[in-house]
Amino acid sequence: MKRMFYSRRGWFSTLLHTLRPQETEVGFSTTLAIYIARHFTLNTLAMVLALTGLVSLFDFIDLLRRAATRPDVPTSLILEIAGLHIPYYIIYVLPFGILLGGIVCFSRLTRSSELIVARAAGISAWQFLASPLACALMIGLFTTTGISALSSTMYRQAEFLDQSYLRTGGGPLTMQGGELWLRQADEGLVPYGVAILHAQNVRLNKSTLEVSGVTIFRLDDRDRLIVRVESPLGILANQEWHLNDSAVLKPDHLPQKIGALTLPSDLTVSRIQESFASPDTLSVFTLPGFIHLLEHSGFPSIRHRLHFQSLLALPILAGTMALVSAGFSMRPTRRGGVARMLGSGIAAGFALFTISKVAEQFGESGALPPVLAAWAPTGAGLCLAVALLLHMEDG
């Protein structure tokens, strides 16, 4: 027993002697940083892939349930739709994958006494957490810039297949009797003018949008009415509104028939369709311009702004989850309560998920600004992680 104690003590002394000269010279061992970063990255990627596979399996089962009443839909199409959803689910589960992967990584390093030896050598928790934090930030940044662009393209194709083969309705623009309100620039009468268009019936016909019962209010730059245009029929094609049998109504004047009227527009049929579609079909690079177009045209842009801010906050949220996982999993085993701490870490992750969903609902309803609704979960998780690490490091 005494021989075993001295042999173990000699092993620790050797490691301390190996780490201390490096600490004196460079402050932190680069080899140790790469070692921890590799373990953290591999565990995180494994967790992200496992969670994505699990969610995709449930998505595939749900698609099979929806296709059960449609015998003409083959199973290969269901597999294609489920496969096109995979990048979207990677973005969705990324914070949880980083949280669970970090908990597995740091708990293993703590059980094997590797982190204990590093801290005994004078390396603080802030130093050996720098490399996994940098990895988490890079993973989040790659997801925001790369995977989100791939996800938007594949998710748009999946929505098209879902709309064509599994859903009964054709969307808000393909239904007879649907109304349309939009606002666009109109410099045909005065500079910086605005046109507000209202159509009572809307129908999508290939690449053109057919409307009936059209009313156009043409305003100046101070939103004062200049003229009102009435037309029974009109179409939107090639970024122009073509109205038939139009009549012009001016203040204190009788209605005047002018026949055909062409009104330029910066809108297209695809853009109007995208305004009703999910923001997940747009990448982080196209969202700012599209949000500006929506606001300029009078369409609501809250969901798109909230999605854009969520993508911007994703790298910081990934780093926050890495710190939260460290705070809940680096407790030494000799102190006991390790299982309780790990369970608390998982519970904290789900609590942050609940906060993010509640904040998202408040943001979509307009009760919170989109910036605050998207960044609030990240700020709450960061405060929790810093408090845990300060308590663990400094007591």
Side-chain angles (χ1 to χ4, degrees):
M1 190 71 180
K2 186 178 298 184
R3 182 178 302 174
M4 184 182 300
F5 172 77
Y6 282 113
S7 63
R8 186 174 300 175
R9 182 180 177 183
W11 177 74
F12 276 107
S13 301
T14 303
L15 285 178
L16 289 175
H17 180 73
T18 303
L19 291 173
R20 275 175 178 166
Q22 295 177 356
E23 177 192 2
T24 304
E25 296 174 3
V26 298
F28 182 55
S29 172
T30 306
T31 304
L32 181 61
I34 296 175
Y35 177 75
I36 297 176
R38 184 174 70 248
H39 273 270
F40 176 82
T41 303
L42 292 178
N43 282 280
T44 295
L45 294 179
M47 282 296 174
V48 170
L49 292 178
L51 291 175
T52 302
L54 182 62
V55 175
S56 299
L57 177 61
F58 284 110
D59 179 55
F60 177 68
I61 294 173
D62 181 67
L63 290 172
L64 285 178
R65 178 190 60 81
R66 292 171 53 194
T69 58
R70 298 177 178 273
D72 56 326
V73 177
T75 307
S76 60
L77 180 65
I78 304 301
L79 283 172
E80 182 180 359
I81 297 176
L84 291 172
H85 285 164
I86 289 178
Y88 167 75
Y89 290 131
I90 290 177
I91 300 176
Y92 192 80
V93 306
L94 179 67
F96 299 100
I98 292 178
L99 175 66
L100 297 179
I103 288 177
V104 172
C105 171
F106 294 123
S107 61
R108 284 180 178 177
L109 293 177
T110 302
R111 285 200 310 269
S112 62
S113 301
E114 292 171 282
L115 292 184
I116 297 175
V117 172
R119 297 183 68 183
I123 300 175
S124 67
W126 306 105
Q127 287 180 301
F128 60 71
L129 285 179
S131 56
L133 177 61
C135 291
L137 292 175
M138 292 299 295
I139 291 173
L141 185 62
F142 174 73
T143 303
T144 298
T145 56
I147 297 183
S148 70
L150 179 65
S151 171
S152 62
T153 303
M154 298 178 66
Y155 195 85
R156 188 185 306 116
Q157 180 64 22
E159 286 290 293
F160 174 76
L161 295 176
D162 196 340
Q163 189 75 43
S164 302
Y165 295 98
L166 297 181
R167 297 180 187 176
T168 55
L173 293 182
T174 58
M175 296 172 59
Q176 292 286 350
E179 294 189 6
L180 176 67
W181 282 93
L182 62 87
R183 179 187 179 98
Q184 68 175 45
D186 179 18
E187 298 185 353
L189 299 179
V190 294
Y192 307 106
V194 175
I196 298 177
L197 183 144
H198 173 243
Q200 296 180 355
N201 298 296
V202 181
R203 186 168 65 91
L204 184 63
N205 185 11
K206 296 182 180 179
S207 61
T208 61
L209 187 68
E210 300 178 357
V211 294
S212 60
V214 184
T215 301
I216 300 179
F217 301 94
R218 307 184 74 174
L219 314 175
D220 61 9
D221 56 346
R222 297 184 179 179
D223 290 339
R224 293 178 298 190
L225 180 65
I226 300 176
V227 65
R228 173 180 170 182
V229 180
E230 297 279 354
S231 176
L233 295 173
I235 61 171
L236 173 64
N238 300 323
Q239 293 188 314
E240 288 182 338
W241 288 103
H242 300 278
L243 306 177
N244 301 323
D245 299 329
S246 303
V248 174
L249 293 86
K250 296 182 179 180
D252 301 326
H253 288 75
L254 294 175
Q256 180 183 0
K257 291 283 187 179
I258 60 172
L261 175 65
T262 300
L263 184 66
S265 175
D266 53 0
L267 295 174
T268 61
V269 176
S270 61
R271 287 179 176 177
I272 295 178
Q273 283 183 297
E274 289 174 352
S275 67
F276 292 100
S278 171
D280 299 311
T281 58
L282 299 173
S283 68
V284 69
F285 303 106
T286 58
L287 275 170
F290 192 76
I291 290 172
H292 176 73
L293 177 65
L294 288 180
E295 294 176 345
H296 189 67
S297 304
F299 290 109
S301 62
I302 292 180
R303 291 194 308 150
H304 296 79
R305 286 188 287 144
L306 184 61
H307 182 63
F308 177 64
Q309 293 296 331
S310 299
L311 289 177
L312 292 183
L314 185 59
I316 309 299
L317 180 60
T320 298
M321 286 299 185
L323 295 179
V324 170
S325 65
F328 280 105
S329 58
M330 291 196 305
R331 181 183 179 91
T333 55
R334 58 185 174 80
R335 295 185 181 180
V338 177
R340 184 172 64 253
M341 288 292 292
L342 296 180
S344 300
I346 297 175
F350 282 101
L352 290 176
F353 174 76
T354 303
I355 292 174
S356 66
K357 288 303 175 182
V358 172
E360 180 181 348
Q361 293 300 320
F362 277 113
E364 290 183 357
S365 64
L368 286 177
V371 176
L372 181 60
W375 287 86
T378 302
L382 187 60
C383 292
L384 174 63
V386 171
L388 285 171
L389 292 175
L390 285 174
H391 175 72
M392 180 188 65
E393 183 68 12
D394 302 324

